[in-house]
Amino acid sequence: MNKTLFHPQYYLALLILLVACSKQAPNEPQPTQKSPSQVDSSQPISPPVGLSHSTSATETAQIQIRVQRGFYVDGRPASDLEAHARRKPEQVIAWAGITEGMEIIDLDATGGYYSENLAWAVGLDGWVIAHNTPGALDLRGGSNRSTLEKRLQHNRLPQIEAVEMDYSQLADKFDELHGATMVNAFHDLYYSQGESATLQALHSIYQILAPSGFLLLVDHLGQTGNNNDELHRIDPDIARDLLERSGFTISEESDLLARPEDNPELSIFDARVRGKTHRFILKAVKPAG
């Protein structure tokens, strides 16, 4: 493997070359607030930790450029950009190998922050399903519902379809999807519904994926012995076990969102760690055979 392809200076040079020498692709939404080249200069393009061998360096840079550029488009909530630096969605999405033309379901999408990032990655040739369970959008005074509706109003992201349904209903509508994402939501599913219901949900997710399709799972790190339910965290060993019992194979893990300064004994809402928690990343694949 050519290590020069993974040097940060390579990616910065590639970013400049791609943006300067290529026109806006016709199948992407058109930014109207800023020039496509005006990405956040404080967040340079860099190779994700644990880069998938199936994704070339050029493809990885292009994915990151598209996602990062989407933060400057008309109608994007200002809070999205505020969350950008700590959540690194362009790097997580590129690491997972989510690229143009894919069909992805964003599970427990709430207000659609990750759904929009995915929409920029897959472009208008792709499809993003922003999924929420019934009633979930009405929590917190309905703020997630209003955020999602505003995000999608006037058909500004036509590749996103918003749906509200239980996990058990997913297979009635979807199949052969390339991938699924579940970001900071697995702990809620596990602690609110229990192990049996979580296994059933994972089975439903497994059903709607094509062979070799994947589930990208991101969540707040919990440790054995802590009251992770109250802390809104989960032990990654629990996630690995449930994924494997549901038929998935853990293909890759990443420490891209590692935060050594996090204290896993504190709630994720504690002011000392809020927005600075260590989040683990798992990529679980449905076997091809």
Side-chain angles (χ1 to χ4, degrees):
M1 185 177 296
N2 187 348
K3 292 183 179 180
T4 61
L5 294 180
F6 294 87
H7 194 284
Q9 291 183 352
Y10 169 85
Y11 279 86
L12 184 58
L14 182 58
L15 167 63
I16 294 171
L17 179 63
L18 288 172
V19 174
C21 299
S22 63
K23 295 182 180 180
Q24 175 85 5
N27 64 337
E28 295 181 11
Q30 297 288 328
T32 55
Q33 271 190 330
K34 296 189 178 184
S35 165
S37 63
Q38 289 180 288
V39 296
D40 184 1
S41 60
S42 68
Q43 296 297 315
I45 298 297
S46 58
V49 176
L51 180 67
S52 171
H53 295 297
S54 63
T55 307
S56 72
T58 300
E59 289 172 327
T60 298
Q62 290 172 337
I63 296 166
Q64 292 189 66
I65 291 167
R66 290 199 302 271
V67 175
Q68 191 154 292
R69 182 168 50 194
F71 281 94
Y72 302 96
V73 178
D74 246 355
R76 187 97 192 232
S79 58
D80 282 12
L81 187 56
E82 293 169 7
H84 173 224
R86 68 177 183 269
R87 300 189 70 171
K88 304 179 184 179
E90 75 282 1
Q91 295 189 47
V92 174
I93 288 170
W95 173 83
I98 298 171
T99 190
E100 199 163 10
M102 282 190 170
E103 298 179 349
I104 306 290
I105 184 166
D106 185 24
L107 300 158
D108 289 309
T110 61
Y113 168 85
Y114 238 89
S115 301
E116 175 152 354
N117 292 319
L118 292 166
W120 282 92
V122 305
L124 290 180
D125 285 339
W127 182 29
V128 175
I129 303 145
H131 160 267
N132 282 288
T133 55
L137 292 176
D138 296 321
L139 299 174
R140 301 183 182 89
S143 61
N144 285 329
R145 183 180 296 280
S146 60
T147 298
L148 183 60
E149 289 177 349
K150 185 176 181 180
R151 188 185 297 278
L152 302 181
Q153 68 182 354
H154 308 309
N155 203 34
R156 65 176 291 271
L157 293 166
Q159 67 272 56
I160 294 182
E161 176 184 358
V163 300
E164 292 184 59
M165 59 178 62
D166 290 322
Y167 282 94
S168 61
Q169 299 173 297
L170 291 174
D172 294 333
K173 184 169 183 179
F174 306 112
D175 66 355
E176 298 293 310
L177 298 178
H178 295 105
T181 60
M182 182 179 284
V183 181
N184 299 339
F186 190 74
H187 69 274
D188 284 325
L189 173 63
Y190 178 73
Y191 288 114
S192 66
Q193 301 295 321
E195 181 178 291
S196 178
T198 302
L199 285 169
Q200 290 175 10
L202 289 173
H203 175 68
S204 295
I205 297 165
Y206 187 94
Q207 283 185 296
I208 64 175
L209 295 175
S212 300
F214 61 87
L215 169 60
L216 174 67
L217 194 152
V218 181
D219 217 326
H220 305 278
L221 179 70
Q223 290 185 341
T224 302
N226 290 347
N227 189 345
N228 292 311
D229 184 1
E230 291 188 0
L231 301 178
H232 289 269
R233 298 172 178 266
I234 191 166
D235 186 334
D237 284 340
I238 293 176
R240 293 187 191 98
D241 175 63
L242 294 175
L243 287 164
E244 290 172 349
R245 287 165 61 187
S246 302
F248 287 99
T249 298
I250 309 297
S251 64
E252 298 175 86
E253 302 189 19
S254 174
D255 59 0
L256 178 61
L257 300 179
R259 299 294 291 262
E261 69 274 23
D262 180 28
N263 182 348
E265 296 184 356
L266 297 177
S267 165
I268 67 170
F269 301 113
D270 189 295
R272 290 169 288 181
V273 296
R274 186 163 191 173
K276 297 177 287 187
T277 57
H278 180 120
R279 282 153 288 160
F280 63 90
I281 308 175
L282 305 176
K283 184 176 181 181
V285 175
K286 179 177 180 176

